[in-house]
Amino acid sequence: MVSYGLILLVQIACMIHAGRTGRPYFWFMIILFVPGLGVLAYLAVEVIRGLLRGRTAARLSRTVSVGLDPTRQYREFARAVETLPSVANLRALADECVRLGRHDEAIDLYKSALTGMHETEPYAMLGLAMAEFRKGDADAAGATLDRLFAANPAFNSAEAHLLAARILEAEDRLPEALSAYERLSATYPGEEAKGRMALLLQRTGAEQRARAIFAEIRKSVERGPAFYRRAQREWYEIARRYA
């Protein structure tokens, strides 16, 4: 007979997985209050099925779903917020608003999440800064990032540093932006930092160096595995255009 301690460990593991992968809130209730069957159901529906169908099928399913009904996930996340306005649910809905271009709504949602004990939650603050930047308010985005780093000195995010560099560029602080892109290009997981650095070099007249970086991007993507080539397609096409 399986011991209660083992069931508890599996429950905890499933709840951690559900939280990290953004599964719907109802799974937490099922796992918590129906220990044995709930765990089995979660593993069968969310873990094993996902492994069997593979990443490609899952990505295709999401693409088709979004194409047929672009606001489906928005409605699902909105219902989750109505049921439980947790920080995780508010962030998920706000992220979806950003994807849909609903920047004002996203900003309001992020601000709703940043209250009380979660006032300086770093990922919600980063989401807010990104929404402000995409809305076209670089000053507000920069101020939010400053508060984020001041409140969370140990927070280290490549996306946050890339956004900081983009804000510098938007403010026409071009030498600072170029230095920021250059520092980030060595560690950023993907080609965007290099690509933005090359575009800025091109903008400032350093054509030869820009073309050399675009050539590096092309080689890096062409030599990468299939999933990397798919993920970096946008920057590969830009590099092909300018190399």
Side-chain angles (χ1 to χ4, degrees), residues 72-243:
R72 177 181 175 183
Q73 279 207 307
Y74 171 86
R75 296 195 304 274
E76 291 178 356
F77 291 147
R79 283 194 292 270
V81 167
E82 288 178 6
T83 303
L84 181 71
S86 65
V87 172
N89 286 343
L90 287 165
R91 270 184 51 203
L93 180 57
D95 291 346
E96 184 65 10
C97 285
V98 171
R99 188 186 71 80
L100 293 171
R102 300 182 178 187
H103 299 127
D104 287 323
E105 186 176 354
I107 288 167
D108 289 341
L109 287 163
Y110 285 125
K111 287 181 177 178
S112 295
L114 292 165
T115 56
M117 64 183 294
H118 301 290
E119 185 178 4
T120 58
E121 201 282 322
Y123 289 101
M125 294 186 80
L126 177 56
L128 173 60
M130 287 182 169
E132 290 168 335
F133 183 78
R134 291 184 183 182
K135 183 187 173 183
D137 194 344
D139 289 341
T144 299
L145 272 190
D146 288 342
R147 292 196 301 274
L148 187 163
F149 290 128
N152 304 276
F155 182 68
N156 188 20
S157 162
E159 294 301 329
H161 292 304
L162 180 63
L163 178 58
R166 294 185 67 190
I167 290 169
L168 290 170
E169 183 177 359
E171 293 174 341
D172 280 330
R173 297 161 62 183
L174 303 188
E176 294 172 77
L178 187 57
S179 295
Y181 285 136
E182 192 155 16
R183 287 193 302 272
L184 190 57
S185 65
T187 57
Y188 189 82
E191 306 298 330
E192 185 174 357
K194 280 186 181 179
R196 292 195 180 279
M197 178 173 67
L199 288 172
L200 182 53
L201 285 166
Q202 190 177 62
R203 177 183 167 189
T204 55
E207 293 279 350
Q208 187 172 353
R209 189 177 174 207
R211 283 197 297 272
I213 294 171
F214 284 131
E216 286 178 18
I217 292 171
R218 285 187 60 183
K219 288 180 183 177
S220 175
V221 175
E222 288 169 357
R223 293 172 180 173
F227 77 88
Y228 190 76
R229 294 196 299 271
R230 287 192 297 269
Q232 304 304 314
R233 183 177 300 162
E234 177 186 358
W235 291 102
Y236 178 74
E237 293 301 329
I238 291 172
R240 278 183 57 189
R241 192 181 313 147
Y242 294 116

